[in-house]
Amino acid sequence: MHNFTTEDLLQYLYNETTPEQSAAIMQAIQTDWSLQETMEVLKASRNQLDKVETVSPRLEVLERIFNYAEKSVEELSEKA
């Protein structure tokens, strides 16, 4: 019996597992229809994500986020 998580399957899908992990997951996929189904859903999701056009945020938005994060770190440092 195997206990592969969705994270394990995603790592396998993106070739981020060790050869031993890959072999174990591949074997489990071949024998477990539920795992096969999960992998098909993950593959389809990845394919859909690859088709999504992304837009980079404006520089102003990024600067606001960085300034907010920096301010929060300073406030935490003052309290320590």
Side-chain angles (χ1 to χ4, degrees), residues 35-62:
L35 212 50
Q36 291 172 12
E37 189 173 278
T38 301
M39 280 301 296
E40 290 304 315
V41 169
L42 291 174
K43 287 178 185 178
S45 299
R46 180 184 66 177
N47 290 339
Q48 291 290 52
L49 284 173
D50 288 343
K51 295 176 185 176
V52 172
E53 290 187 32
T54 57
V55 178
S56 296
R58 294 184 322 222
L59 184 56
E60 177 184 327
V61 173
L62 292 175

Side-chain angles (χ1 to χ4, degrees), residues 9-35:
L9 298 177
L10 283 169
Q11 288 176 333
Y12 172 77
L13 187 60
Y14 285 95
N15 299 315
E16 296 176 351
T17 51
T18 65
E20 294 81 16
Q21 290 171 321
S22 294
I25 292 171
M26 191 180 320
Q27 182 179 9
I29 290 170
Q30 292 173 352
T31 59
D32 185 337
W33 68 268
S34 176
L35 212 50

Side-chain angles (χ1 to χ4, degrees), residues 60-74:
E60 177 184 327
V61 173
L62 292 175
E63 287 176 357
R64 286 182 185 176
I65 293 170
F66 292 140
N67 288 338
Y68 177 81
E70 185 176 321
K71 180 179 175 184
S72 296
V73 169
E74 288 173 0

